[in-house]
Amino acid sequence: MFNTLPFTVPPSVYVLGVRVDRLTRRQVVASLEHIIALARSSQDPLPCQQIITVNPEFVMAAQRNTLFRQCINQAALVMADGIGIVLAARYLRQPTPERVTGVDTLVDLAHLCASHSYRLYLLGAAPGIAEEAAQRLLNLAPGLMIAGTYAGSPAPAEEDEIIERIRTSQADVLCVAYGAPAQDLWIQRNLSRLPVAVAMGVGGSFDFLTGRQRRAPRWLQQLGLEWLYRLYREPWRWRRMLALPQFALQVVLKGHKLYDA
């Protein structure tokens, strides 16, 4: 079952039982704008909508973690963050138009919020990083209103305090950087009481914005080799990168195999 959505569910492809919406970056922004505008104009509070970007590591983790797979499949929007997802969807003959990354969506959200006076809250990462990311977003999107920043943690014991901070801030959009699957499960667990229109897990996006992590040059991104650049910069990630050939093999062997959401 999907969340109760204030818009039409987009066309999707299921990659190893994990939903991926076949949307362009522009369509994602338009959907987000529609969700937030409806929440702002509604006299009665509308449920928060969860946004997830998935890559092959997410899909492989979802094979082992049923709750994580359900979390992804029930989200309002699920974008293809990772060239492996784009290639898998193409192999399954249900191609996604393009890759839509978490950090690009975060920047798009900042511009959207700045142009419509929506309030953005940044949650997660190490202490101080959310504040630096907020300053970077303010530079990229002049006029942006930062509702608040807080590191916190995904520990259940902190949830009440964090949600109260968000409520007090009167935020419209929440971006959570606790890493997957912790950030996405945190959002889903608190979806019914999050006082925002949209909540999205953004992984390491704050680190990219602050320069702690460097993105691949644009030409490497266009070639779909950003993963190789990151491995070059962070060779200790080689164990995590093993998920990529496993993912490709499973897609070839299992194709459209579906799981109950």
Side-chain angles (χ1 to χ4, degrees):
M1 289 291 293
F2 291 104
N3 297 331
T4 303
L5 302 179
F7 63 95
T8 302
V9 176
S12 306
V13 56
Y14 279 78
V15 179
L16 297 177
V18 175
R19 180 178 132 236
V20 181
D21 298 330
R22 301 164 63 193
L23 296 172
T24 65
R25 182 173 171 181
R26 180 174 294 183
Q27 288 173 320
V28 169
V29 174
S31 296
L32 292 171
E33 181 177 1
H34 186 55
I35 293 170
I36 302 168
L38 279 178
R40 268 289 192 97
S41 62
S42 176
Q43 294 184 354
D44 299 317
L46 294 179
C48 174
Q49 302 299 319
Q50 182 169 13
I51 314 301
I52 299 179
T53 62
V54 299
N55 60 32
E57 291 181 53
F58 280 48
V59 173
M60 295 309 293
Q63 307 307 296
R64 305 182 297 272
N65 187 332
T66 302
L67 187 60
F68 186 37
R69 187 173 69 244
Q70 292 174 342
C71 174
I72 297 171
N73 289 348
Q74 294 172 0
L77 292 174
V78 183
M79 290 93 79
D81 183 349
I83 190 62
I85 299 294
V86 174
L87 294 176
R90 190 178 303 167
Y91 174 79
L92 297 173
R93 299 183 181 179
Q94 298 183 62
T96 58
E98 61 181 321
R99 182 181 175 213
V100 184
T101 71
V103 64
D104 288 337
T105 304
L106 174 55
V107 173
D108 288 342
L109 268 171
H111 285 291
L112 176 62
C113 289
S115 62
H116 292 79
S117 299
Y118 299 145
R119 297 169 61 83
L120 178 64
Y121 197 105
L122 304 183
L123 174 67
I129 293 180
E131 287 77 7
E132 290 184 35
Q135 186 57 55
R136 175 61 176 155
L137 289 173
L138 286 168
N139 293 337
L140 292 172
L144 173 65
M145 292 188 289
I146 298 294
T149 61
Y150 184 59
S153 85
E158 291 195 47
E159 288 176 0
D160 289 345
E161 178 191 351
I162 291 173
I163 289 172
E164 184 55 34
R165 284 174 178 265
I166 298 168
R167 189 184 311 279
T168 302
S169 75
Q170 298 184 317
D172 297 290
V173 177
L174 170 67
C175 292
V176 184
Y178 286 143
Q183 63 191 15
D184 309 290
L185 295 176
W186 186 94
I187 292 171
Q188 187 193 51
R189 194 164 60 242
N190 293 287
L191 205 56
S192 64
R193 58 182 187 149
L194 279 173
V196 295
V198 168
M200 181 176 79
V202 294
S205 295
F206 296 173
D207 288 328
F208 285 115
L209 283 172
T210 59
R212 284 175 169 79
Q213 298 288 344
R214 290 176 58 185
R215 292 193 73 180
R218 179 65 64 179
W219 65 272
L220 277 177
Q221 294 180 41
Q222 293 172 342
L223 288 174
L225 295 176
E226 190 166 6
W227 64 271
L228 185 60
Y229 178 83
R230 192 164 186 186
L231 181 60
Y232 164 74
R233 296 277 305 177
E234 303 171 336
W236 55 266
R237 292 176 60 90
W238 71 269
R239 292 183 186 276
R240 294 180 60 181
M241 291 295 181
L242 291 177
L244 299 180
Q246 294 171 1
F247 168 79
L249 180 61
Q250 291 295 309
V251 170
V252 171
L253 292 177
K254 297 182 179 180
H256 287 276
K257 182 178 179 181
L258 303 181
Y259 297 83
D260 292 333

